[in-house]
Amino acid sequence: MSFPATRLRRLRRTETLRALVRETSLSLDDVVMPLFACPGEGIVRPVAGLPGIAQRSVDEIVREAEQLVGAGVRAVLLFGVPETKDADGSGAWDEDGVVQRALHALRAAAPGLTLLTDVCLCEYTEHGHCGVLDGDTVANDETLELLARTAVSHVDAGADAVCPSDMMDGRVGAIRAALPDTPIVSYAAKYASAFYGPFREVAESTPAFGDRRGYQMDPANGREAVREARIDVDEGADVVMVKPALPYLDVIRRVREAVDVPVAAYNVSGEYAALKAAAERGWLDERAAVLESLTAIRRAGADVIVTYHAKEVARWLQG
Ligand code: PBG
């Protein structure tokens, strides 16, 4: 069948018809908001590249979480910005660490909120790399036990799921062995990306030397992402994540087709910053551009989206 019998415009005539046949939906059920916990009290420390996002002390994290819950956000991903750092990143698994304290407080104040945690050492090491060093390379196997210890401490403090983002080989297996009952959302295909710039400012995790290309993926590779995802599923991951999202929609699609577990995508800090900056200048309609971008991530195959836009999206979707 072709024109004139076929006219695709027929189903585009009214918003109700368009809604009836819409293939992809965006729902707060599928959205996760990142939060950054720092020491102290009454602290909300905004960051330049991430308008609306701040480091927050535990009491302020609780206030923010209550607002998020009120707006309809169902899940958060916690990062920690500790007081002190050391060579091994021992603040990561400190039972009195900043993420662990935030977890206890959130568990009590917002019982319905799902608490995910980022499991990585880079915010806790003085050199800013995602594992312990051997000379100036990150020692894979020595790091695994520390990651598992960190994940266990998060679960002991109340985490619902843990999200290893370090990109060491074998970390999902190591965490799975320590936590048979905890959902693992692995950052399976995490690229060495320029789009993490604003995050490193808020998380204070810029490497002191070198870069992360020795463990994060080469942006030129797609097939390798499928291998990463399959390996993580074999090691016991419940959800695999692709990160960043918008420059990697093809990777989301390939991973979606290669594995049967849910796929998450991380709409990272640089993606957020780019839209915010353009919107601030009046160059883009923020609401339309954000909803279109997140819908595109869903259309590519993501079941779950981690995004700094979550709070505004909640307002737009409810309002
Ligand atoms: C920690 C981590 C990073 C991000 C999430 N977890 C940064 C990095 O690997 O340098 C980036 C998130 C973002 O840019 O929004 N390893």
Side-chain angles (χ1 to χ4, degrees), residues 59-78:
D59 55 322
E60 293 290 344
I61 286 253
V62 167
R63 275 169 43 137
E64 178 71 1
E66 284 167 348
Q67 282 188 24
L68 289 167
V69 170
V73 174
R74 325 275 309 264
V76 296
L77 173 59
L78 280 172

Side-chain angles (χ1 to χ4, degrees), residues 118 120 122 165 190 196 199-200 212 216 243 269 308:
D118 187 84
C120 194
C122 64
S165 70
K190 177 174 177 181
Y196 306 150
F199 171 93
R200 291 184 186 167
R212 303 206 202 290
Q216 297 181 347
K243 175 181 173 194
S269 59
Y308 302 95

Side-chain angles (χ1 to χ4, degrees), residues 191-193 195 218-219 242-253:
Y191 287 86
S193 171
F195 287 87
D218 185 334
V242 174
K243 175 181 173 194
L246 291 171
Y248 295 85
L249 294 178
D250 60 318
V251 176
I252 295 172
R253 167 56 47 192

Side-chain angles (χ1 to χ4, degrees), residues 229-269:
R230 288 201 174 116
I231 288 168
D232 282 8
V233 172
D234 286 347
E235 288 182 23
D238 300 287
V239 180
V240 289
M241 182 140 69
V242 174
K243 175 181 173 194
L246 291 171
Y248 295 85
L249 294 178
D250 60 318
V251 176
I252 295 172
R253 167 56 47 192
R254 282 169 87 153
V255 169
R256 165 69 295 152
E257 283 169 4
V259 298
D260 294 325
V261 301
V263 173
Y266 199 137
N267 175 224
V268 301
S269 59

Side-chain angles (χ1 to χ4, degrees), residues 4-293:
T6 301
R7 289 176 182 265
L8 296 186
R9 288 183 57 187
R10 285 195 292 256
L11 287 175
R12 296 178 194 149
R13 279 181 54 205
T14 67
E15 176 48 27
T16 317
L17 280 171
R18 291 192 293 272
L20 204 58
V21 298
R22 189 159 291 139
E23 298 175 34
T24 310
S25 65
L26 183 62
S27 151
L28 289 179
D29 290 347
D30 310 315
V31 167
V32 180
M33 174 74 171
L35 292 176
F36 298 90
C38 71
E41 235 190 275
I43 293 174
V44 178
R45 198 176 294 133
V47 266
L50 288 173
I53 308 299
Q55 294 181 0
R56 290 183 159 85
S57 50
V58 171
D59 55 322
E60 293 290 344
I61 286 253
V62 167
R63 275 169 43 137
E64 178 71 1
E66 284 167 348
Q67 282 188 24
L68 289 167
V69 170
V73 174
R74 325 275 309 264
V76 296
L77 173 59
L78 280 172
F79 293 89
V81 188
E83 207 139 19
T84 57
K85 307 187 185 222
D86 60 21
D88 292 347
S90 65
W93 60 84
D94 179 354
E95 63 179 45
D96 197 32
V98 71
V99 166
Q100 289 78 357
R101 280 188 285 122
L103 286 165
H104 283 295
L106 289 170
R107 194 78 295 167
L113 186 64
T114 292
L115 307 176
L116 290 74
T117 60
D118 187 84
V119 174
C120 194
L121 302 184
C122 64
E123 295 115 64
Y124 304 90
T125 52
E126 54 205 7
H127 45 76
H129 279 288
C130 299
V132 289
L133 296 183
D134 178 8
D136 53 13
T137 59
V138 175
N140 192 88
D141 300 15
E142 290 74 0
T143 299
L144 299 182
E145 197 254 324
L146 305 182
L147 293 166
R149 213 187 283 179
T150 302
V152 169
S153 81
H154 290 174
V155 172
D156 287 347
D160 292 298
V162 293
C163 313
S165 70
D166 51 282
M167 288 301 278
M168 298 303 118
D169 288 314
R171 79 273 170 70
V172 173
I175 294 171
R176 177 51 73 222
L179 291 169
D181 290 328
T182 302
I184 298 176
V185 179
S186 80
Y187 290 70
K190 177 174 177 181
Y191 287 86
S193 171
F195 287 87
Y196 306 150
F199 171 93
R200 291 184 186 167
E201 193 197 329
V202 64
E204 298 176 9
S205 66
T206 306
F209 65 89
D211 53 44
R212 303 206 202 290
R213 286 181 290 183
Y215 41 103
Q216 297 181 347
M217 282 183 59
D218 185 334
N221 293 355
R223 250 184 350 243
E224 189 187 344
V226 170
R227 290 189 76 192
E228 282 283 7
R230 288 201 174 116
I231 288 168
D232 282 8
V233 172
D234 286 347
E235 288 182 23
D238 300 287
V239 180
V240 289
M241 182 140 69
V242 174
K243 175 181 173 194
L246 291 171
Y248 295 85
L249 294 178
D250 60 318
V251 176
I252 295 172
R253 167 56 47 192
R254 282 169 87 153
V255 169
R256 165 69 295 152
E257 283 169 4
V259 298
D260 294 325
V261 301
V263 173
Y266 199 137
N267 175 224
V268 301
S269 59
E271 300 172 48
Y272 176 85
L275 284 192
K276 280 281 177 193
E280 264 168 29
R281 285 165 178 72
W283 293 347
L284 278 180
D285 173 340
E286 181 173 2
R287 176 188 165 135
V290 169
L291 293 177
E292 180 179 335
S293 298

